[in-house]
Amino acid sequence: MTTSSKKLGVIIGVDGNLSQVGMYSMSNDSEFLWQGEILTGPRMGAFLTIIQNDVKIIATVASEKIIDQQNSVKSVEFDNRYHKNSINRVIILKTKGVIEGGKFKVTSRFVPMIGNEVTLTTKEELNSIFDLDSEKDSIYIGKTILEDQPVYLPIDKFFASHIGIFGNTGSGKSNTLHKLFLQLFRSKYYPRPINQVSSFFVIDFNGEYTSDYSFGVKKEDKKVFDVKTGKNQGDKLPVKREYLFDADILSILFDARPATQVPFLRKAINLWNENNFEGYKISKFVVGTLKKILTSGDDASADAKDNWINVAKKYVTNKSLFKNLNNLVYYTNNQTYVYRNEQDEKYYINNKSSIDQIVINVLKLEQIEAEIADYFNKAGEIEKLKLHLEFQKIHQSAWKSTNIEHLNPLFNRIDSAFTSLSKVIEVVDSIDKCYKTMNIICLVRANQEIKRLIPMLVSKMIYDEQKNLVASQSVECTKHLIIDEAHNILNSDYRNNGDDWQDYRLSVFEEIVKEGRKFGFYLTLSSQRPADISPTILSQIHNYFIHRLVNDKDLRMLENTMPTLDRGSFQMIPSLGQGETIITGNAIQVPNFVKIEKEETNRPKSDDVILTEIWKNNLYF
């Protein structure tokens, strides 16, 4: 049953969406007890209702002031006098929308008019504003700060969107991120269907979400990849062959120089992908390179043979097989290689001539070829690629078309990168059964090189998989990418500063945030420095949780990218307490100030360190 609410005042002025209310009394109570309900009083940010016939216009308190009816503001007595016959209270309201037919909606069809009465907003009206109906497909997230009203977020509008969670360290953003998805997996009807058709990937830089019960997902439906690049062995991430063996990705990973090193890598990787090498095939190819070097005379570089031997020794166990090769002597005058054995027998390899079988036997080329093939067949995918690249360096530089000195610095970086990659990557043909419903990729023990690579590589791979799966079809499955501390990998400061890696990575994520929604791919970002994130990415976020932020640069970035946040709410951001957040975006009609409830046990490993507790535990040691 609808009841009348307490009348507070009357509209005495209207200017756009701002209205002045002359209050009937000077009461400044923060709360009122009215007809059995405790209602929020007319204070900053609180809701009030403007009555206009059968329509209720909903507004919030933007500011307030007093008017002295007897003396000017300049009176020296002003501050000492305070009685009903002298001072009136005036409140400034900002219109938010209307309640019509019991439903709240944002519209400019109805505007306040002078003479409209203003009342307290009832619980029933608040329910309409917040659209509170726990029976709908929604999740409970917390209570509003001013009204103490429960807040339910609609599952469809929130989780089928890109989400941004921003706040300073210690403001509660990690708890909000975890609580959001924890409540999804606690929802009444959907945990089982989610396991069937949706996948979640969490990029966890600080190891906050690795506990057994994180996100409320059962152990059998969750996989934690503890990625390590140190001495101890960690988990390996399954990555499809085509994503690791990609010329663009490897060029950026190895920091290849555009003039000489990038063309080398493109040619080598194209050859690798075209030939689908196995042991016998690649060993014939690389030994064929040596044979061509030996029969090219002065066309080949003087050190080409020795360079080939130095590479081959890495992959051949029996080093004695190279003894006769090392003793080959090249005579420039007749462009001939000559081997002389202990019996002073000579064996010749002439320019532009095929090598006799007896010479092949003497030089042990077939045994070397067999050992290279054996190594290749037993090696992992990354080691195989490394072998191919090293022999390609010899092949492409042997005939002076490429200066080997330009490639050597590249291979120093390749050695370092492949050492790290071999510890964290498992190359697979398909990832269909490699990941589970919830996948936590923990990078706290990874080096910077891997922290740069893994998020981009995994994100591009799962996004392309999803896109190919639903292209030209209706979306029947979804993928959700969650990146904590997103400023680590989405910083736009290095764009156009010669950082090709950053340009490529930002391009990948900008495509995801622009196009992902139509393919059922949704991004959630959490960061303490939103100003460091690419504006293009931020502008595509649909729903926001804003915790306390005090840096002017961060605040300006949010002000420019969040059209749904009004000025009054924006000004409250620096004064939010721990766990308090402003929820705004396409999924809700008005910004909500909410206290996110903290889980007692199942929460991220992000609690503040209590130094005195640590020190007290060691008082007597």
Side-chain angles (χ1 to χ4, degrees), residues 3-5 31-40 49 56 99 120-132 143-144 146-150:
T3 59
S4 62
S5 186
E31 293 179 334
F32 287 82
L33 179 61
W34 183 256
Q35 296 184 350
E37 294 181 338
I38 298 177
L39 304 179
T40 303
T49 301
K56 297 177 179 180
I99 295 177
L120 291 175
T121 302
T122 65
K123 293 287 187 181
E124 182 181 0
E125 291 162 355
L126 287 172
N127 286 343
S128 298
I129 295 169
F130 296 122
D131 194 22
L132 302 180
K143 291 185 177 181
T144 57
L146 292 180
E147 300 84 9
D148 200 35
Q149 288 284 105

Side-chain angles (χ1 to χ4, degrees), residues 314-493:
K314 297 179 182 180
Y315 305 105
V316 174
T317 304
N318 185 2
K319 302 298 188 289
S320 64
L321 294 177
F322 297 99
K323 179 180 178 181
N324 294 346
L325 264 177
N326 284 323
N327 291 331
L328 273 177
V329 178
Y330 182 67
Y331 292 92
T332 305
N333 292 338
N334 52 11
Q335 299 184 17
T336 301
Y337 276 97
V338 178
Y339 169 72
R340 178 181 298 175
N341 65 16
E342 294 175 354
Q343 289 75 37
D344 205 31
E345 296 173 323
K346 295 181 181 179
Y347 299 90
Y348 296 91
I349 303 175
N350 296 314
N351 181 25
K352 305 296 187 297
S353 301
S354 59
I355 303 177
D356 293 337
Q357 184 61 43
I358 189 172
V359 177
I360 291 174
N361 295 339
V362 167
L363 299 180
K364 316 284 188 190
L365 297 187
E366 291 179 346
Q367 292 96 316
I368 293 173
E369 184 179 299
E371 286 220 15
I372 291 174
D374 185 60
Y375 173 89
F376 189 89
N377 288 332
K378 294 178 180 178
E381 294 297 324
I382 292 175
E383 288 77 13
K384 290 178 180 180
L385 179 61
K386 185 179 178 183
L387 178 150
H388 170 69
L389 291 176
E390 294 221 71
F391 279 113
Q392 272 296 296
K393 178 179 72 169
I394 305 304
H395 185 85
Q396 293 190 36
S397 64
W399 290 275
K400 307 172 188 177
S401 59
T402 301
N403 190 335
I404 197 170
E405 296 302 322
H406 294 160
L407 298 181
N408 285 333
L410 171 67
F411 275 81
N412 292 331
R413 298 191 293 273
I414 287 176
D415 286 340
S416 173
F418 274 155
T419 299
S420 296
L421 278 178
S422 61
K423 294 179 180 179
V424 304
I425 293 288
E426 177 188 1
V427 182
V428 296
D429 293 321
S430 172
I431 60 169
D432 287 347
K433 298 182 180 179
C434 296
Y435 293 98
K436 296 188 177 182
T437 300
M438 177 63 71
N439 305 278
I440 316 292
I441 301 171
C442 177
L443 299 174
V444 69
R445 297 179 183 86
N447 59 30
Q448 288 300 317
E449 194 171 43
I450 293 303
K451 285 181 179 178
R452 294 202 320 165
L453 171 68
I454 292 299
M456 186 276 294
L457 197 60
V458 171
S459 300
K460 180 172 174 57
M461 178 178 67
I462 60 176
Y463 170 67
D464 285 348
E465 286 282 299
Q466 179 70 11
K467 184 167 66 172
N468 293 335
L469 194 62
V470 304
S472 303
Q473 301 177 27
S474 60
V475 177
E476 300 293 341
C477 60
T478 66
K479 287 186 173 63
H480 305 257
L481 176 63
I482 304 162
I483 305 178
D484 194 24
E485 306 297 344
H487 53 274
N488 286 326
I489 58 171
L490 300 180
N491 194 318
S492 62
D493 287 348

Side-chain angles (χ1 to χ4, degrees), residues 147-381:
E147 300 84 9
D148 200 35
Q149 288 284 105
V151 175
Y152 292 87
L153 303 179
I155 290 176
D156 287 332
K157 291 183 178 179
F158 253 89
F159 293 98
S161 75
H162 301 314
I163 302 170
I165 303 172
F166 304 116
N168 291 150
T169 299
S171 63
K173 65 181 183 302
S174 296
N175 182 65
T176 296
L177 187 154
H178 184 264
K179 181 81 172 183
L180 185 65
F181 289 92
L182 175 66
Q183 291 298 88
L184 176 65
F185 280 94
R186 285 176 173 173
S187 58
K188 188 173 182 180
Y189 302 110
Y190 298 109
R192 287 188 63 189
I194 288 173
N195 284 331
Q196 299 297 320
V197 297
S198 294
S199 302
F200 298 77
F201 296 81
V202 181
I203 307 297
D204 183 4
F205 283 99
N206 297 325
E208 296 181 15
Y209 308 99
T210 57
S211 67
D212 290 342
Y213 303 102
S214 62
F215 298 104
V217 180
K218 297 178 182 178
K219 288 185 180 181
E220 58 267 27
D221 297 322
K222 180 169 59 178
K223 171 66 177 175
V224 176
F225 294 93
D226 190 2
V227 178
K228 299 178 182 179
T229 52
K231 294 181 180 179
N232 296 329
Q233 181 68 44
D235 298 312
K236 293 189 176 184
L237 281 166
V239 174
K240 288 183 69 173
R241 185 187 311 272
E242 63 195 80
Y243 287 94
L244 184 60
F245 300 155
D246 177 88
D248 289 328
I249 290 176
L250 291 178
S251 294
I252 296 166
L253 175 63
F254 302 147
D255 194 19
R257 301 297 179 259
T260 54
Q261 296 172 357
V262 169
F264 161 77
L265 277 174
R266 290 193 184 283
K267 187 174 181 180
I269 296 301
N270 289 339
L271 184 68
W272 173 263
N273 292 329
E274 289 170 3
N275 282 274
N276 193 25
F277 284 117
E278 45 79 36
Y280 172 78
K281 189 174 182 180
I282 198 167
S283 63
K284 293 288 287 185
F285 181 86
V286 299
V287 172
T289 297
L290 175 64
K291 291 178 179 178
K292 188 174 180 181
I293 290 170
L294 297 179
T295 58
S296 291
D298 289 340
D299 291 342
S301 301
D303 56 356
K305 177 195 66 125
D306 293 334
N307 289 336
W308 189 96
I309 293 173
N310 290 334
V311 171
K313 282 182 176 179
K314 297 179 182 180
Y315 305 105
V316 174
T317 304
N318 185 2
K319 302 298 188 289
S320 64
L321 294 177
F322 297 99
K323 179 180 178 181
N324 294 346
L325 264 177
N326 284 323
N327 291 331
L328 273 177
V329 178
Y330 182 67
Y331 292 92
T332 305
N333 292 338
N334 52 11
Q335 299 184 17
T336 301
Y337 276 97
V338 178
Y339 169 72
R340 178 181 298 175
N341 65 16
E342 294 175 354
Q343 289 75 37
D344 205 31
E345 296 173 323
K346 295 181 181 179
Y347 299 90
Y348 296 91
I349 303 175
N350 296 314
N351 181 25
K352 305 296 187 297
S353 301
S354 59
I355 303 177
D356 293 337
Q357 184 61 43
I358 189 172
V359 177
I360 291 174
N361 295 339
V362 167
L363 299 180
K364 316 284 188 190
L365 297 187
E366 291 179 346
Q367 292 96 316
I368 293 173
E369 184 179 299
E371 286 220 15
I372 291 174
D374 185 60
Y375 173 89
F376 189 89
N377 288 332
K378 294 178 180 178
E381 294 297 324

